[in-house]
Amino acid sequence: METIGVALIVLLLVILSATIAALLRDGRGHTPPERSERDWSALDLPSISYTLRNY
């Protein structure tokens, strides 16, 4: 019974250390690079579709 308890504690320590290592390696997730040019915009395009304009 003690062997199972020790194995469980060792397993929990390994899981905890692997989780901490993974968070330190890439804890912020995906962060896209900042772009210096302006984003695309629709400018003066109509807000309704062209098919609805005919009716």
Side-chain angles (χ1 to χ4, degrees):
M1 193 66 172
E2 293 89 16
T3 307
I4 294 173
V6 171
L8 186 62
I9 290 174
V10 169
L11 181 64
L12 289 175
L13 287 175
V14 168
I15 290 172
L16 182 66
S17 63
T19 303
I20 291 173
L23 287 175
L24 289 176
R25 209 174 325 118
D26 187 30
R28 295 183 302 168
H30 175 68
T31 53
E34 292 195 25
R35 299 169 41 187
S36 60
E37 68 269 3
R38 291 182 54 197
D39 288 336
W40 181 88
S41 66
L43 298 176
D44 58 348
L45 290 178
S47 59
I48 60 172
S49 68
Y50 290 107
T51 55
L52 292 177
R53 283 182 164 202
N54 296 333
Y55 299 111

